[in-house]
Amino acid sequence: IAGALGRDWVRDIVGRADGNPFFIEELTRSVLHHGEAGLRLPHTISEVLLYRLRLLPPELRRTLEIAAVLGRQFPQSLLERLLPSGHRASADLAELQKLDLLVVSAGPGDPRVSFKHALTQEAAYGEVPADRRRELHGAAARVLEQVHAQRREEVIDTLAFHHERSGDAARTVEALAACAARATRVYALEQAIVLLRRALGRVVELPPASRDATQLDLANQLAHVLTISGQYQACLELLTAQAALVADLQ
């Protein structure tokens, strides 16, 4: 590297990266790719990643941003279903892999796609406008519902992840409750409690016609988990808070 860049650049890169190997790699790549003349070294890893992502051709950038919405790792077929009709993902994936942004792991069945670094995925995700993110999360959830209709529980965590970020409160509540029920069955009680509290937090977004009944159902499920986990005071406080709602329904 010293021979390719010169000692001053190496010193600046090492000093700026403060010993972070990934930062050193990305800074070095940036200098080698764009040349030394007039280049200003980014101050943070996020800055250098954004600079690199924004220089991608539009098609590659779109594919990478969709990939970022899908998460750190996902099946290639899911990405293909979210790309525009007729667009072949394989060419984009090959190029993004060549650029050390993604890794495609071939094996039996559907190849798995993963981001080489979590920070790259976070940077690409942050570049997607909020409305577009919600739209893509909703589309990913719909595809998963279709593909896994007969074995939905296998992907219920991923479904909850996408529904929760899509803005669809009803499907979010249902998926979180399903995750909590599975956690309860295997006695992962603290996880079930967290999931049910998250579901209860989204009840306010439901249509008025179903809001109260759903809240009571979730509260009863949470009370059951709190009881079997020995959290009796928390259970009492929960049920006391629901008393007024029960009276109103009667």
Side-chain angles (χ1 to χ4, degrees):
I1 295 175
L5 293 180
R7 294 184 180 277
D8 289 344
W9 275 107
V10 172
R11 184 190 63 245
D12 291 346
I13 287 171
V14 172
R16 183 66 53 85
D18 195 26
N20 183 320
F22 181 43
F23 200 179
I24 290 173
E25 178 185 342
E26 289 298 324
L27 285 172
T28 303
R29 191 194 310 275
S30 181
V31 175
L32 289 174
H33 183 72
H34 301 292
E36 302 175 18
L39 179 66
R40 180 186 66 84
L41 280 181
H43 285 82
T44 66
I45 185 63
S46 296
E47 189 180 346
V48 74
L49 285 171
L50 288 174
Y51 178 71
R52 188 177 176 205
L53 296 179
R54 288 168 183 171
L55 290 175
L56 290 173
E59 298 80 6
L60 283 183
R61 187 173 174 183
R62 177 185 59 195
T63 298
L64 190 69
E65 289 177 350
I66 294 174
V69 170
L70 295 179
R72 179 75 190 275
Q73 186 181 97
F74 50 88
Q76 181 174 323
S77 61
L78 182 56
L79 174 65
E80 290 170 343
R81 286 172 175 262
L82 294 180
L83 286 170
S85 178
H87 189 99
R88 293 181 65 240
S90 55
D92 285 355
L93 290 175
E95 186 63 26
L96 290 167
Q97 189 166 219
K98 192 184 301 181
L99 293 170
D100 278 338
L101 294 170
L102 297 179
V103 176
V104 181
S105 304
D110 200 353
R112 303 289 298 180
V113 181
S114 59
F115 278 83
K116 187 173 181 181
H117 295 283
L119 288 173
T120 305
Q121 188 249 335
E122 292 170 9
Y125 188 82
E127 285 291 276
V128 185
D131 287 348
R132 177 66 172 152
R133 282 202 302 261
R134 287 191 290 271
E135 176 187 326
L136 287 169
H137 280 301
R142 289 191 294 274
V143 169
L144 288 168
E145 294 274 13
Q146 293 167 4
V147 173
H148 297 275
Q150 303 305 316
R151 50 188 196 284
R152 191 169 180 267
E153 188 164 318
E154 293 177 10
V155 294
I156 193 63
D157 291 328
T158 307
L159 277 173
F161 170 82
H162 288 299
H163 281 315
E164 201 166 7
R165 288 157 181 79
S166 72
D168 189 328
R171 288 188 169 87
T172 295
V173 168
E174 187 275 332
L176 288 172
C179 288
R182 187 183 63 181
T184 303
R185 287 196 297 273
V186 298
Y187 284 88
L189 302 181
E190 288 303 319
Q191 181 185 3
I193 290 168
V194 169
L195 289 164
L196 286 168
R197 290 196 186 281
R198 274 165 55 192
L200 278 165
R202 299 297 295 269
V203 166
V204 67
E205 302 170 42
L206 296 178
S210 61
R211 187 181 302 154
D212 291 348
T214 301
Q215 180 173 327
L216 286 177
D217 182 51
L218 291 170
N220 284 333
Q221 292 179 52
L222 179 55
H224 169 68
V225 179
L226 289 170
T227 299
I228 60 178
S229 65
Q231 300 183 48
Y232 304 117
Q233 183 61 36
C235 179
L236 178 61
E237 292 171 359
L238 171 70
L239 294 176
T240 300
Q242 306 304 315
L245 182 56
V246 172
D248 288 343
L249 289 177
Q250 290 176 340

